[in-house]
Amino acid sequence: MTEGVQLTQAGTGAPYEVFHTDCPARDVVDHVTSRWGVWVLIALRSDDLRFYELRESIKGISEKMLAQTLRALVQDGLVWRKVEPTTPPQVTYGLTEFGQDVGEPLTDLFDRITKRLPPRPAR
């Protein structure tokens, strides 16, 4: 086999060259599978959350990394962002249809892993 996988772009019939560094699908995969991208998608799987709620639910993430991760996922069309014009602004995030579709197998993977891990010893 001499060629990489080619997936078809929705609605165009043109192939994505997923192993090429300039492929836009590759950027989305990089954002989703980044250290924090997976956790943001899992955290938003069941409810829309405000920025501070996301920060509190994802232990270990800094405000800077959360903001960068959310910015990339919003730009990729996986997460939507709603700003309430209050002082200070209230910013809420949720999964788009695309984000729900991508997040579903991640949630399934997370659930499978946590079901298979041995019980944690009592502390």
Side-chain angles (χ1 to χ4, degrees):
M1 187 183 273
T2 59
E3 292 188 32
V5 174
Q6 289 189 344
L7 302 176
T8 304
Q9 295 181 33
T12 66
Y16 277 116
E17 295 181 31
V18 296
F19 291 106
H20 193 279
T21 56
D22 293 337
C23 180
R26 188 172 176 160
D27 290 338
V28 174
V29 170
D30 287 345
H31 295 151
V32 169
T33 60
S34 70
R35 177 173 184 188
W36 300 111
V38 170
W39 297 114
V40 168
L41 293 175
I42 289 172
L44 292 172
R45 69 183 174 213
S46 58
D47 203 7
D48 305 336
L49 297 173
R50 294 190 28 209
F51 184 88
Y52 80 91
E53 293 171 323
L54 268 170
R55 191 185 68 227
E56 291 297 314
S57 69
I58 305 172
K59 304 298 182 207
I61 192 169
S62 68
E63 283 191 30
K64 178 182 175 182
M65 285 310 304
L66 179 57
Q68 287 177 357
T69 302
L70 285 167
R71 193 174 304 118
L73 294 174
V74 167
Q75 186 176 6
D76 292 338
L78 297 162
V79 172
W80 55 260
R81 179 179 188 264
K82 178 181 173 189
V83 179
E84 294 290 332
T86 60
T87 305
Q90 294 180 1
V91 184
T92 305
Y93 295 90
L95 294 179
T96 64
E97 186 177 328
F98 181 33
Q100 290 170 359
D101 194 36
V102 168
E104 191 174 313
L106 296 175
T107 298
D108 186 44
L109 176 65
F110 178 77
D111 291 343
R112 286 176 187 228
I113 290 170
T114 56
K115 287 177 186 172
R116 293 288 195 140
L117 286 175
R120 292 179 68 175
R123 291 183 181 196

